[in-house]
Amino acid sequence: GAVVSQHPSRVICKSGTSVKIECRSLDFQATTMFWYRQFPKKSLMLMATSNEGSKATYEQGVEKDKFLINHASLTLSTLTVTSAHPEDSSFYICSAMGNNYEQYFGPGTRLTVT
Amino acid sequence: AQSVAQPEDQVNVAEGNPLTVKCTYSVSGNPYLFWYVQYPNRGLQFLLKYITGDNLVKGSYGFEAEFNKSQTSFHLKKPSALVSDSALYFCAVRDMEGSWGKLQFGAGTQVVVTP
């Protein structure tokens, strides 16, 4: 149980385009999901907390207009990187919080902006 | 505010030898501590957690961690390391002051197990 998926696992996009990443909790409902960004061999940086049915809460320094988060259902949150630039290239990881307040992590999405 | 520190960027150990990955914490109140492992280009896998109870916590893949309140440490250990244990290890503490149970991660420790 407690499986979280992400789609796509890898994406390459051109500079200036937008890309959407999906995070799904497959066998449980998650009112809260988290989005992280990770640089090579570095720790996870929390970008935002996503709550079903309400606006996401962004961490300091994260541009909410650039990283759009939508948590439309109890099993799906999406992160859209708008007008992507090469510096947005990174590994993006989501997690979903279960009823026991445990976080279950997705496998990550590798974004490359050319 | 809660925080964890992992003082070692990398730990090298020969296969079959004991493995220790260090973590110290700073919290106000009772700590909720976690260890995760990450393989290349993968998400995080949960290893173990300490909430309350026995100071020695046993987790997945033969790992264990000892909670030491006086030293504010939560070191991860494995008696006999395997080459397949080579990965990036993260210590984390749950932020109980804020809402939604956010996790604060350490910087990570790369474990390299040589045959």
Side-chain angles (χ1 to χ4, degrees):
Chain A
V3 178
V4 176
S5 70
Q6 280 184 243
H7 178 80
S9 57
R10 290 177 176 270
V11 58
I12 300 173
C13 69
K14 292 187 176 181
S15 187
T17 63
S18 296
V19 61
K20 179 186 288 187
I21 303 170
E22 294 184 347
C23 178
R24 294 182 185 272
S25 55
L26 298 184
D27 50 3
F28 67 103
Q29 293 183 331
T31 56
T32 301
M33 291 184 175
F34 300 89
W35 285 97
Y36 297 86
R37 181 173 178 175
Q38 185 181 29
F39 293 99
K41 296 189 176 181
K42 296 293 184 183
S43 188
L44 279 70
M45 181 191 80
L46 179 64
M47 299 174 66
T49 303
S50 168
N51 286 286
E52 187 267 339
S54 63
K55 291 183 179 180
T57 301
Y58 289 82
E59 296 298 303
Q60 192 173 7
V62 178
E63 298 176 61
K64 63 180 181 181
D65 293 331
K66 179 166 187 62
F67 298 100
L68 300 179
I69 292 173
N70 188 333
H71 195 154
S73 77
L74 289 173
T75 59
L76 174 63
S77 175
T78 61
L79 168 68
T80 301
V81 183
T82 62
S83 186
H85 287 92
E87 57 264 30
D88 299 324
S89 298
S90 193
F91 193 55
Y92 292 88
I93 302 175
C94 74
S95 70
M97 193 159 71
N99 292 334
N100 56 0
Y101 291 94
E102 297 298 332
Q103 285 192 36
Y104 302 96
F105 288 83
T109 297
R110 172 74 59 194
L111 170 63
T112 302
V113 185
T114 61
Chain B
Q2 272 68 233
S3 67
V4 290
Q6 294 179 243
E8 301 157 316
D9 290 337
Q10 182 166 316
V11 170
N12 298 302
V13 63
E15 187 174 33
N17 283 359
L19 169 63
T20 298
V21 187
K22 296 180 180 177
C23 173
T24 58
Y25 65 88
S26 175
V27 301
S28 54
N30 296 320
Y32 283 29
L33 297 161
F34 302 80
W35 275 103
Y36 291 89
V37 60
Q38 184 182 32
Y39 295 95
N41 295 310
R42 302 290 296 276
L44 272 65
Q45 295 180 30
F46 170 80
L47 284 177
L48 50 80
K49 66 180 178 183
Y50 173 83
I51 304 296
T52 186
D54 291 340
N55 290 341
L56 185 63
V57 180
K58 293 188 181 298
S60 306
Y61 312 119
F63 284 94
E64 59 187 29
E66 185 170 7
F67 172 71
N68 188 316
K69 188 173 183 178
S70 63
Q71 297 184 5
T72 62
S73 66
F74 189 57
H75 301 333
L76 180 71
K77 299 180 181 182
K78 187 171 184 179
S80 178
L82 301 172
V83 172
S84 57
D85 293 327
S86 298
L88 189 56
Y89 290 79
F90 291 101
C91 182
V93 62
R94 181 179 294 166
D95 185 350
M96 299 305 292
E97 294 179 346
S99 56
W100 307 304
K102 294 189 294 186
L103 290 174
Q104 298 289 338
F105 285 91
T109 299
Q110 182 71 47
V111 170
V112 178
V113 182
T114 53

